[in-house]
Amino acid sequence: KSIPKAELHLHLEGSVTPAIFGALSRKYDTDYAVLNEEKIQAQLFNYRDFYDFLNTYRIVCEHLREPLDYLMVFDWLESYFAEQNIRYAEIIYTPSILWRAGKDGREVLVALLKQSNKLNDQGITIRWILDCVRQFGAQWAWRTAELAAEFSKQGVVAIGLGGDEKSLSMGEYQEVFAWVRDHQLHAHVHAGEISDAQQVWEALQVLGANRIGHGIQAAWDPNLTDYLCQHAIGLDVCLTSNARTGAWPTISDNPFDLLHRKGIPVTLNTDDPGLFQVSLNEEFQKAAV
């Protein structure tokens, strides 16, 4: 609990807690406004599988409509960072969710950057990854990449590719990620979470990924684990997330330790601390058992 930590895989939208969701649902008078925190947890923040989780994620994002909503989530994260002794964090934000709803994703980013830069005085460094949703298509990824390049000197360090691994192919995004690398931004790609190890290979070979979100399925491919080790490609491992979505149902069997012992750079992360109701301290404790 006392050691300083970094968290590298943390979705801002996934940091919405039942209490925050309840406040947002009352603010916008949605169908969920009548539910208390316990019912939100039981009815919405409880997942049968990965796609049920994605559906909850979609519903949560529909309640994030303006900068004040996102800043409410970030305020909660400030307390979370202090409580967990997190000194460095890379937060994943997805502007295309707002754009597709006809709202201003750039305005939200400006507000978030302004707020996150204030944490430097408290000894907490925040950097941002702007995520593309794989099933949305390349047109939104281009817009995300351009926004990332615009703010690359102000705290944005990478663009990512998240969402449903089994939807569009990596090749749909090859030109976007080549452009990103040309603009000195890093590539952070979700791969090998619910799909197979081939997805990790494609993230590396097609998109030039510098780091892999999840990547646990790489454990099934010895050639891939050797490559990850030799090229120091990091994997963001999220134990509770994998268990809650069914990506790797049993934490005790999660290949985190195997990947670590092979010499692959691995980190522990919460992924979505609000939606999974988990902290980074708890992830460390689970990994140590």
Side-chain angles (χ1 to χ4, degrees):
K1 291 181 180 180
S2 63
I3 63 173
K5 304 175 189 70
E7 182 152 18
L8 301 182
H9 194 118
L10 177 66
H11 291 268
L12 181 66
E13 297 89 349
S15 301
V16 172
T17 64
I20 293 173
F21 182 80
L24 291 169
S25 64
R26 291 188 294 274
K27 175 180 177 178
Y28 294 113
D29 193 24
T30 69
D31 292 341
Y32 303 93
V34 297
L35 301 180
N36 60 26
E37 287 185 42
E38 290 75 19
K39 289 184 177 179
I40 289 169
Q41 177 71 48
Q43 296 182 25
L44 199 62
F45 287 33
N46 192 20
Y47 320 110
R48 294 186 300 275
D49 55 27
F50 181 78
Y51 291 98
D52 191 37
F53 164 72
L54 283 188
N55 185 57
T56 293
Y57 202 96
R58 175 187 59 79
I59 293 169
V60 166
C61 289
E62 289 172 353
H63 287 69
L64 294 166
R65 304 181 184 182
E66 62 176 4
L68 286 176
D69 301 338
Y70 284 83
L71 290 174
M72 183 191 306
V73 183
F74 189 80
D75 285 346
W76 179 83
L77 279 176
E78 286 190 44
S79 300
Y80 167 77
F81 294 147
E83 178 187 89
Q84 302 293 307
N85 202 13
I86 293 171
R87 305 289 182 83
Y88 178 86
E90 293 184 5
I91 304 177
I92 302 168
Y93 160 61
T94 312
S96 59
I97 292 173
L98 285 165
W99 289 331
R100 283 165 52 93
K103 303 184 186 306
D104 193 341
R106 184 183 187 279
E107 179 188 25
V108 168
L109 178 62
V110 169
L112 289 169
L113 288 171
K114 181 179 179 181
Q115 190 70 12
S116 64
N117 286 335
K118 294 179 181 178
L119 292 187
N120 289 332
D121 295 335
Q122 302 175 34
I124 301 172
T125 301
I126 305 296
R127 295 293 181 260
W128 293 88
I129 299 171
L130 302 191
D131 210 36
C132 309
V133 181
R134 189 155 167 182
Q135 57 268 33
F136 285 1
Q139 69 182 82
W140 300 105
W142 276 114
R143 193 169 173 183
T144 302
E146 290 165 357
L147 184 65
E150 179 184 353
F151 289 94
S152 63
K153 305 297 184 184
Q154 300 177 50
V156 176
V157 294
I159 76 161
L161 185 65
D164 182 4
E165 289 180 60
K166 297 182 179 180
S167 59
L168 299 179
S169 71
M170 296 275 190
E172 296 283 336
Y173 297 92
Q174 187 169 14
E175 290 185 12
V176 180
F177 276 78
W179 186 91
V180 164
R181 295 195 304 275
D182 287 343
H183 285 75
Q184 285 73 56
L185 286 162
H186 294 288
H188 178 266
V189 182
H190 285 62
E193 180 183 8
I194 62 167
S195 194
D196 56 22
Q198 181 60 31
Q199 286 285 317
V200 180
W201 278 121
E202 291 179 12
L204 299 169
Q205 296 170 342
V206 178
L207 300 185
N210 303 102
R211 201 170 78 231
I212 302 294
H214 299 284
I216 51 173
Q217 306 299 337
W220 297 105
D221 185 339
N223 291 329
L224 177 55
T225 55
D226 287 345
Y227 183 93
L228 294 169
C229 180
Q230 292 164 9
H231 292 82
I233 303 293
L235 303 182
D236 308 341
V237 179
C238 310
L239 301 174
T240 299
S241 169
N242 294 161
R244 292 287 307 277
T245 65
W248 205 292
T250 307
I251 288 178
S252 61
D253 292 334
N254 190 287
F256 167 77
D257 184 55
L258 169 67
L259 297 166
H260 174 62
R261 285 187 283 107
K262 282 184 172 290
I264 297 168
V266 288
T267 59
L268 288 168
N269 309 271
T270 60
D271 197 7
D272 303 289
L275 298 188
F276 295 130
Q277 293 290 276
V278 65
S279 71
L280 190 57
N281 283 340
E282 290 171 332
E283 292 294 84
F284 272 73
Q285 290 164 351
K286 291 172 183 177
V289 171

